[in-house]
Amino acid sequence: MRHRRPFVAGNWKMNPATVAEAVALARAIVLATAQARVVEIAIAPPAVALLAVRDAIAASDVTLAVQDVHEHEKGAYTGGISAAMLRGIVTYVIVGHSEVRRDRGDTDARVNAKLRRALDAGLRPILCVGEMLEVRHSGRADEFVRGQVRAALSDVAMGQASRVTIAYEPIWAIGTGVPAHGEDARTTIAAAREEVGVLFGAATAHAVRMLYGGSVTGESIAEFAEQPGIDGALVGGASLVSDEFARICAAVGVARTRA
Ligand code: 13P
């Protein structure tokens, strides 16, 4: 079976303040991560900075991601950015981030539509799933995440599913400084992988990369990268500091090479 390449993606969210700062951060990340060759590295700057950042990283192995995409193909959707517009600019598209679900009302159905638009345009979705604290406390986290995976991957063609990366980001761990326990992340990610297997078969379940996200730092990454079945991380705050981000990438490379 094909080996899953370790993967670390930096979600910059609505940072930094200017396009010039985004270009500078991208350049710093390229320099700081130049050694981390076993790991695939992606950065997701704000949409307005994508073109400038694409040029800044063009000579490197760092790939580009966008933080969201519109669920429709084209038309009267003020502010929308379609998957087709992103073709040739980004490799990855983050869909279903909990902040977008919360702030822009993305439902499971809309996340599914966005994911399919991205696949149809030849882009690679990074699907975010994750439960609220009450759900974790009630013992239903794995079932909840399986439901999100099932909904988001509904009607995805068999041959396309392995191009999806799934990021398990428990909502209570995002931006709080309190990451999940490695063991819990491992079990929930195993449940998500099992669900992919139910939907698309064992080979696809094996091929899909699974990341952990939520308060990942150079310090906390080891707990996740060492877990079987966790292929890397989706990083928020720590991806805005090039050296810290590089530490995370290096740690994932070391842990996954050993695994
Ligand atoms: P933090 O790493 O800042 O907790 O954010 C995680 C995240 O939401 C990445 O998409």
Side-chain angles (χ1 to χ4, degrees):
M1 287 222 190
R2 202 155 48 91
H3 190 66
R4 295 187 301 270
R5 188 174 176 202
F7 186 28
V8 177
N11 174 11
W12 294 1
K13 308 190 179 182
M14 203 162 71
N15 302 291
T18 65
V19 172
E21 285 174 66
V23 167
L25 176 58
R27 289 205 177 110
I29 285 174
V30 166
L31 286 177
T33 60
Q35 305 304 319
R37 295 211 178 277
V38 288
V39 181
E40 181 174 3
I41 298 167
I43 51 176
V48 72
L50 282 173
L51 288 172
V53 169
R54 177 188 62 173
D55 292 346
I57 65 175
S60 78
D61 293 335
V62 175
T63 53
L64 200 55
V66 65
Q67 297 175 15
D68 194 17
V69 68
H70 202 275
E71 74 268 31
H72 290 300
E73 196 178 353
K74 62 177 178 174
Y77 302 105
T78 301
I81 300 177
S82 76
M85 290 170 191
L86 292 161
R87 201 170 14 205
I89 300 174
V90 303
T91 306
Y92 292 97
V93 180
I94 298 173
V95 294
H97 194 283
S98 61
E99 286 153 13
V100 181
R101 293 182 194 251
R102 178 197 67 199
D103 298 339
R104 279 172 257 159
D106 269 18
T107 57
D108 279 341
R110 197 186 286 166
V111 171
N112 171 246
K114 290 179 172 189
L115 182 136
R116 288 191 289 137
R117 288 279 175 220
L119 284 172
D120 288 347
L123 306 173
R124 302 173 67 108
I126 300 174
L127 165 66
C128 299
V129 294
E131 81 287 352
M132 313 237 292
L133 196 55
E134 305 88 87
V135 177
R136 167 67 51 192
H137 282 158
S138 73
R140 289 180 295 110
D142 293 0
E143 190 46 43
F144 180 85
V145 165
R146 286 177 83 122
Q148 284 186 320
V149 167
R150 196 158 54 236
L153 297 182
S154 163
D155 291 326
V156 167
M158 197 63 113
Q160 290 202 320
S162 61
R163 295 178 45 231
V164 177
T165 294
I166 297 179
Y168 168 56
E169 299 205 307
I171 293 172
W172 45 272
I174 295 177
T176 57
V178 183
H181 293 296
E183 183 65 20
D184 288 341
R186 184 184 63 74
T187 334
T188 303
I189 283 174
R193 196 182 293 288
E194 203 173 283
E195 190 62 35
V196 174
V198 170
L199 297 167
F200 300 100
T204 302
H206 178 80
V208 165
R209 288 189 294 189
M210 300 273 177
L211 313 179
Y212 167 77
S215 296
V216 169
T217 61
E219 193 81 19
S220 67
I221 184 60
E223 177 163 0
F224 303 101
E226 281 163 9
Q227 301 288 340
I230 301 187
D231 303 308
L234 180 57
V235 185
S239 71
L240 299 170
V241 183
S242 57
D243 287 346
E244 182 77 2
F245 188 59
R247 263 181 82 193
I248 294 167
C249 297
V252 167
V254 168
R256 299 322 297 160
T257 310
R258 249 196 335 244

